[in-house]
Amino acid sequence: MIRTVPTQPFGDQKPGTSGLRKKVKVFQQPNYAENFIQSVFDVVEGKQGATLVIGGDGRYLNRTVIQTAIRMAAAAGFARVVVGQGGILSTPAASHLIRRRGALGGLVLSASHNPGGPDEDFGIKYNVANGGPAPEKVTEAIHARTLSITQWHAASGPDLDLDTPGEVTVEGMTVEIVDPVADYADLMETLFDFDAIRAAGLTVAFDAMSAVTGPYAIEILERRLGFAPGTVRNGTPLEDFGGHHPDPNLVHARDLYDLMMSADAPDFGAASDGDGDRNLIIGRGRFVTPSDSLAMLAANAHLAPGYAAGLKGIARSMPTSAAADRVAAALGIPAFETPTGWKFFGNLLDAGMATICGEESAGTGSDHVREKDGLWAVLLWLNILAATGKSVDEIARDHWARFGRNYYARHDYEGVDSAAADALIAALRADLPALPGRRFGPLTVAAADDFAYRDPTDESISANQGVRVLFDGGSRVVFRLSGTGTSGATLRVYLERYEPADGYLDTDTGTMLADIVAAAEEIAGIARHTGRTRPDVVT
Ligand code: G6P
Ligand code: ZN
């Protein structure tokens, strides 16, 4: 039996950088999740006879919303839904499954690196047939639908057993519960030289942060690659991530950082986030910024079997440092600069214009799926270490000696009053024309703009993607408001200083960026607008 339930629109269901993210309590309102899922199904065409993938990062509410989504998919006319056992699918594994099964799309349930639990965050994202996040025209149509929805439809019946692999039928639709890890692990074996990694005798610490990558990392690192038991830390996914932020940065993965800087450090340390798409890379005594990691992976990717033929192009988000551009120039391949959000890479990957992509927000990935992929980055690093016999520190130093170094940091001001944050950005935009030629300490502004992107594959334009102030000599500061937060506004200030290959290549980042930090305050009036004199998080 199919039920039709009358409902009324919610005014706050506009998807952000990465799907709809809200507090669990917001999602628990009657009809809230149903309205959004129905809006997705109302907008998406071709559901009759099609396959839909469903899974999430295991956080609180995951199982409840999966049961809802299955019932609603049956009512929407899907022929089959493929669900990760236990409701688990990492974001990159979901992307792979959508592609491998020729699915119409997938519902990925996660709030990524945000904390989980009854008082924390939840999210729903729709991915399209290429396995990537829905492009803006789809998310805009979904949002429009959420504002006019009047009813939703669902099969009735008891909850399904999500923990036993196999098939059952709901209102004529097949529900297939699958091993969430196997297909993904097989894909990794096609890209990387597992024998060489095994033979290299490296020691590794991987922190799964009590989030979704635990089962993937245990299968790949400990079972298939033979790293010692215990290599994977915090490897059991928990609904509240053990009360931590599953965000692989120097603040929230502090234990791993301390280990890697200690006398007991293994050769290689890494962590991933709630849904498995982000990565943190730390060699013994050497943290690698995400922007540098992208550049170093791109420069060495040909050492892994999956990329032996070379790269077609490299793409990075605008706030990501320009280190990768220098690699692209050296390789003689195109470099693309996109707005923040993995969805902007999808067209470039589909068109075969880029092979490797990355973002300062700890995301790196390639054309093997259409999401960023934390374990992929870990395995590519391990493959490079195995193939070169060098340490992470040596790879980094060699890289800078060849390309120069882009010193980089991001300062986040969290939970800022939204009106104050909007006023700061508005004032910045108004000041843009007056900035070129102005001096801030030793820095002179070469150019300033509000970043707009023209997608070279479909000519679509995305405007207002962040204010950037470029200084003479390749340094810059970028101001942007986060599109992923769930309370107040988060102001992100991205700081970058280029130091040529014959310059200071191994100096403290804070020291190297001090002039740019001072210029950023002077240009944006952060303290005046927000009342904050220092950032909450520095990554
Ligand atoms: C998500 C997206 C990324 C994006 C990041 C930062 O993780 O998948 O593509 O870079 O959010 O977004 P924000 O808007 O918070 O800076
Ligand atoms: Zn994530």
Side-chain angles (χ1 to χ4, degrees):
M1 220 195 71
I2 302 291
R3 295 194 297 147
T4 291
V5 178
T7 188
Q8 294 198 329
F10 291 89
D12 65 347
Q13 295 198 323
K14 184 176 168 52
T17 311
S18 194
L20 183 69
R21 274 189 209 165
K22 298 285 173 191
K23 292 287 171 206
V24 163
K25 293 273 189 302
V26 174
F27 270 105
Q28 283 173 325
Q29 298 172 86
N31 298 330
Y32 195 88
E34 289 85 350
N35 272 22
F36 189 75
I37 294 168
Q38 188 66 53
S39 297
V40 171
F41 291 164
D42 285 351
V43 160
V44 167
E45 287 169 10
K47 296 177 292 292
Q48 294 298 325
T51 297
L52 180 75
V53 168
I54 305 177
D57 63 9
R59 69 177 60 225
Y60 188 83
L61 215 61
N62 192 45
R63 285 173 177 265
T64 312
V65 173
I66 288 178
Q67 298 286 354
T68 302
I70 293 172
R71 289 193 183 94
M72 293 182 67
F78 284 97
R80 175 179 292 262
V81 294
V82 182
V83 184
Q85 187 179 0
I88 292 289
L89 278 177
S90 78
T91 291
S95 182
H96 179 51
L97 203 51
I98 292 168
R99 295 164 68 78
R100 219 178 77 79
R101 293 304 195 88
L104 180 67
L107 289 170
V108 183
L109 310 179
S110 169
S112 187
H113 51 288
N114 293 7
D119 297 315
E120 299 296 351
D121 294 356
F122 190 73
I124 304 179
K125 183 169 70 156
Y126 182 69
N127 282 26
V128 294
N130 75 352
E136 274 189 329
K137 62 176 187 306
V138 177
T139 57
E140 280 161 12
I142 293 168
H143 178 225
R145 183 62 189 154
T146 66
L147 297 174
S148 65
I149 189 167
T150 57
Q151 52 187 30
W152 54 267
H153 317 282
S156 32
D159 277 357
L160 298 180
D161 172 9
L162 301 179
D163 295 298
T164 310
E167 292 189 0
V168 293
T169 303
V170 175
E171 295 291 341
M173 179 184 80
T174 303
V175 179
E176 185 183 347
I177 308 289
V178 299
D179 177 339
V181 176
D183 282 349
Y184 175 83
D186 292 348
L187 174 65
M188 294 299 116
E189 287 211 53
T190 68
L191 299 174
F192 302 114
D193 188 343
F194 275 39
D195 289 335
I197 297 173
R198 225 179 273 119
L202 297 162
T203 52
V204 173
F206 179 84
D207 191 342
M209 304 192 86
S210 306
V212 81
T213 47
Y216 295 86
I218 289 169
E219 171 66 20
I220 294 169
L221 298 177
E222 296 188 6
R223 297 214 185 94
R224 298 199 187 189
L225 285 168
F227 288 109
T231 292
V232 179
R233 293 142 191 255
N234 302 313
T236 304
L238 302 175
E239 287 198 331
D240 67 349
F241 309 119
H244 299 293
H245 284 236
D247 193 355
N249 62 28
L250 298 183
V251 175
H252 297 299
R254 186 77 206 180
D255 290 353
L256 180 73
Y257 179 80
D258 290 343
L259 171 70
M260 295 308 298
M261 297 302 139
S262 76
D264 303 326
D267 297 310
F268 184 79
S272 191
D273 72 330
D275 61 330
D277 56 0
R278 294 187 172 199
N279 71 85
L280 170 70
I281 303 295
I282 315 177
R284 182 187 292 130
R286 174 65 70 185
F287 161 63
V288 183
T289 68
S291 294
D292 270 350
S293 180
L294 170 65
M296 292 169 193
L297 291 178
N300 294 288
H302 60 278
L303 298 171
Y307 307 93
L311 309 179
K312 295 171 183 145
I314 306 171
R316 64 168 173 88
S317 67
M318 181 274 283
T320 304
S321 95
D325 300 17
R326 297 179 185 277
V327 175
L331 294 174
I333 56 175
F336 299 94
E337 187 176 25
T338 62
T340 294
W342 203 263
K343 59 181 177 245
F344 292 101
F345 295 136
N347 284 353
L348 298 173
L349 294 168
D350 283 351
M353 297 167 80
T355 306
I356 284 190
C357 310
E359 295 187 277
E360 52 69 37
S361 55
T364 336
S366 86
D367 57 1
H368 68 292
V369 291
R370 292 296 180 273
E371 290 277 6
K372 56 187 181 278
D373 188 341
L375 273 166
W376 171 90
V378 169
L379 293 169
L380 182 48
W381 263 106
L382 289 173
N383 198 144
I384 292 167
L385 297 183
T388 59
K390 291 182 187 169
S391 67
V392 172
D393 185 49
E394 287 169 318
I395 299 270
R397 286 167 184 272
D398 289 356
H399 188 93
W400 296 328
R402 179 172 172 208
F403 296 99
R405 178 170 178 185
N406 293 69
Y407 285 93
Y408 189 88
R410 189 179 91 190
H411 290 188
D412 291 340
Y413 299 79
E414 296 179 338
V416 172
D417 175 65
S418 293
D422 290 343
L424 181 151
I425 295 289
L428 262 177
R429 286 194 178 123
D431 284 350
L432 283 174
L435 282 176
R438 274 189 62 188
R439 290 184 62 96
F440 297 91
L443 299 162
T444 304
V445 177
D449 67 1
D450 195 349
F451 181 63
Y453 176 64
R454 178 193 294 269
D455 184 316
T457 68
D458 64 8
E459 303 299 320
S460 61
I461 306 253
S462 302
N464 303 329
Q465 297 294 326
V467 169
R468 36 177 202 179
V469 180
L470 312 173
F471 302 105
D472 286 341
S475 297
R476 66 170 192 170
V477 57
V478 173
F479 303 90
R480 222 189 119 250
L481 299 183
S482 161
T484 56
T486 54
S487 53
T490 295
L491 171 67
R492 301 203 195 286
V493 182
Y494 310 84
L495 307 145
E496 177 177 355
R497 166 169 172 175
Y498 178 65
E499 195 63 16
D502 59 358
Y504 297 101
L505 295 182
D506 204 0
T507 303
D508 171 61
T509 300
T511 309
M512 295 300 274
L513 295 177
D515 291 335
I516 303 173
V517 171
E521 174 58 37
E522 213 180 313
I523 292 169
I526 299 167
R528 180 164 42 87
H529 282 285
T530 68
R532 306 289 179 84
T533 52
R534 68 168 66 92
D536 299 284
V537 179
V538 175
T539 50

